Amino acid sequence: MRKTFGTGSVWEQTLGYSRAVQVDNTLFISATAASGPDGIVGDDFYSQTKYILEKLGAVLADAGFSYEDVVQSKLYLTDISKWEEAGRAHGEVFGEIRPTLSLVHVLPFLDPEMLVEIELVAQKSA
């Protein structure tokens, strides 16, 4: 079974991607930024990570998953020296769940106000 989930973003149609794709009991969520209705939310690594994780919680719930189902998390940071700020927000959500984690240093995103993107993989027990 393959099912796609979208947010209605024009970018999803233009670039040809989905916010999330479920294949059987696994949900793959595209890298997500701290973009809100009025632009980028937060001006530091902690606040952007926190906002993104809230957005991803809604994506998980929409697909019938939860944070507890997350098995892999990837944080893309434009300044790797700020990993502790992003990590603190990540730990507030995943401290007891403990999915695998990658911290990846990247060049600036398309919007220079974007500091963080997060990608998740979640899996329900069979």
Side-chain angles (χ1 to χ4, degrees):
M1 174 198 76
R2 183 178 196 275
K3 183 176 180 183
T4 60
F5 298 87
T7 62
S9 163
V10 297
W11 295 110
E12 291 172 10
Q13 186 63 39
T14 302
L15 298 175
Y17 76 96
S18 297
R19 173 59 45 214
V21 176
Q22 181 178 354
V23 178
D24 299 324
N25 64 337
T26 305
L27 183 69
F28 302 89
I29 303 177
S30 294
T32 301
S35 55
D38 299 319
I40 301 302
V41 176
D43 59 0
D44 60 58
F45 285 80
Y46 175 82
S47 61
Q48 286 195 17
T49 301
K50 186 174 178 66
Y51 182 78
I52 294 166
L53 289 170
E54 290 169 3
K55 283 177 62 173
L56 292 174
V59 173
L60 288 161
D62 186 42
F65 288 75
S66 70
Y67 289 126
E68 288 77 17
D69 298 314
V70 173
V71 295
Q72 184 177 58
S73 180
K74 294 180 183 176
L75 275 68
Y76 301 95
L77 310 174
T78 58
D79 182 349
I80 200 68
S81 73
K82 304 295 185 184
W83 69 270
E84 288 179 281
E85 292 179 37
R88 182 166 49 98
H90 188 272
E92 290 171 4
V93 172
F94 292 114
E96 297 297 318
I97 301 164
R98 298 184 56 180
T100 64
L101 172 66
S102 297
L103 293 171
V104 183
H105 187 201
V106 298
L107 294 172
F109 296 110
L110 293 174
D111 183 334
E113 291 183 21
M114 293 168 49
L115 305 174
V116 180
E117 282 196 349
I118 302 174
E119 183 179 352
L120 298 178
V121 177
Q123 189 170 56
K124 289 189 174 281
S125 299

